[in-house]
Amino acid sequence: MSLTVEACSSCSKDMDFEENNVASKKNENLASAVDGEGKKEEEKEKLGRCLSELSLDDEEEEEGEADNLLDLGPQVTLKDQLEKDKDDESLRRWKEQLLGSVDLNSVGDKLEPDVNILSLSIISPGRADIVLPMPVVPNSKGVWFTLKEGSSYKLKFTFFVSNNIVSGLRYINTVWKTGVRVDRTKEMLGTFSPQLEPYTYETPEETTPVGLFARGSYSARTKFIDDDEKCYLEINYTFDIRRDWPSIVAPLQGA
């Protein structure tokens, strides 16, 4: 009889121990779930702060560029430029070389230079040039162009300068993916005088990124500005990076 009582007492203790273990594990799982949710919220907050900081960086960078402008002095017309220091033979020859064959009669007395971007092209070895006519006319999907991942390419600009000398013309391109800035390029094109023929400029060769996270749609903003921060063109557009080049649809015969 006593053995039976002892056995029942032992069973009761074992059951209490198991119930305590189960309750302890439930509490641990609940605490782990709460910690997991807390970590997710912290990650969301960190991501939000990062996106806000990137946006602020873009704004501060543009504001900093405006604050660091050089004072180039008052602009003068081309005729006045030639009249200045006309007794200095070396300066006169340098100015004539800079201006080239510009027709001063067609320029007149205009102070502000004008730059007209005629076309933008993407050059990739072994491929026909992708000519992006101006003004921007995206296709029905809103995508201006598509590039293959891991492909080499460079940009070619064709532009016309009139009225006066444009100083420090540069190209600025900013790219975002899913709202996060992934690239910012600044390219100094140079100083150009008015001429009858358009100028052509090619950027150094670059390579598109590769991989699952590199593929997809991007948004971008391109600007052409000078040393006075005068903007001659600003384009907002989208483009894709895909596994392969887009197929070219042949025109229908007899259409």
Side-chain angles (χ1 to χ4, degrees), residues 143 145-151 153 175-177 182 207-219 238-246:
V143 178
F145 57 87
T146 298
L147 299 175
K148 178 185 176 182
E149 62 175 352
S151 58
Y153 72 97
V175 181
W176 295 267
K177 192 174 194 292
V182 295
T207 304
T208 56
V210 179
L212 177 64
F213 295 105
R215 295 192 290 269
S217 296
Y218 294 78
S219 59
T238 60
F239 68 95
D240 286 348
I241 292 180
R242 299 298 180 193
R243 190 185 296 274
D244 208 343
W245 293 102

Side-chain angles (χ1 to χ4, degrees), residues 99-119:
L99 294 174
S101 58
V102 62
D103 183 7
L104 293 178
N105 293 324
S106 64
V107 171
D109 295 327
K110 297 179 181 178
L111 289 175
E112 293 289 335
D114 188 38
V115 178
N116 183 18
I117 310 298
L118 303 177
S119 67

Side-chain angles (χ1 to χ4, degrees), residues 43-57 179-181:
E43 290 176 358
K44 288 180 180 178
E45 289 179 4
K46 287 181 181 179
L47 179 59
R49 286 197 298 268
C50 287
L51 293 176
S52 297
E53 288 171 2
L54 286 169
S55 178
L56 288 173
D57 287 344
V180 178
R181 193 182 82 181

Side-chain angles (χ1 to χ4, degrees), residues 127 139 141 245-253 255:
R127 300 280 303 178
N139 63 24
K141 293 183 179 180
W245 293 102
S247 57
I248 300 175
V249 179
L252 297 175
Q253 298 297 325

Side-chain angles (χ1 to χ4, degrees), residues 72-171:
L72 302 178
Q75 283 188 324
V76 295
T77 65
L78 284 181
K79 289 182 178 180
D80 290 338
Q81 286 279 10
L82 290 175
E83 287 296 322
K84 281 186 175 181
D85 307 311
K86 62 182 180 180
D87 295 331
D88 189 319
E89 184 65 19
S90 61
L91 274 177
R92 185 183 62 80
R93 286 199 303 268
W94 175 80
K95 290 176 182 179
E96 289 177 353
Q97 183 179 6
L98 176 64
L99 294 174
S101 58
V102 62
D103 183 7
L104 293 178
N105 293 324
S106 64
V107 171
D109 295 327
K110 297 179 181 178
L111 289 175
E112 293 289 335
D114 188 38
V115 178
N116 183 18
I117 310 298
L118 303 177
S119 67
L120 308 177
S121 302
I122 301 173
I123 304 172
S124 187
R127 300 280 303 178
D129 292 356
I130 303 174
V131 180
L132 308 171
M134 308 301 297
V136 181
V137 182
N139 63 24
S140 58
K141 293 183 179 180
V143 178
W144 204 19
F145 57 87
T146 298
L147 299 175
K148 178 185 176 182
E149 62 175 352
S151 58
S152 300
Y153 72 97
K154 55 185 177 179
L155 304 177
K156 181 172 73 173
F157 313 129
T158 303
F159 56 95
F160 185 77
V161 178
S162 59
N163 295 347
N164 207 337
I165 296 172
V166 58
S167 177
L169 182 65
R170 60 190 185 275
Y171 152 83

Side-chain angles (χ1 to χ4, degrees), residues 215-230:
R215 295 192 290 269
S217 296
Y218 294 78
S219 59
R221 181 175 64 229
T222 293
K223 296 171 70 175
F224 289 86
I225 60 176
D226 63 14
D227 278 344
D228 292 322
E229 289 296 305
K230 180 180 178 181

Side-chain angles (χ1 to χ4, degrees), residues 6-21:
E6 288 176 0
C8 289
S9 176
S10 175
C11 289
S12 177
K13 290 179 180 178
D14 289 342
M15 291 175 64
D16 290 343
F17 181 73
E18 290 177 0
E19 288 176 358
N20 289 336
N21 280 342

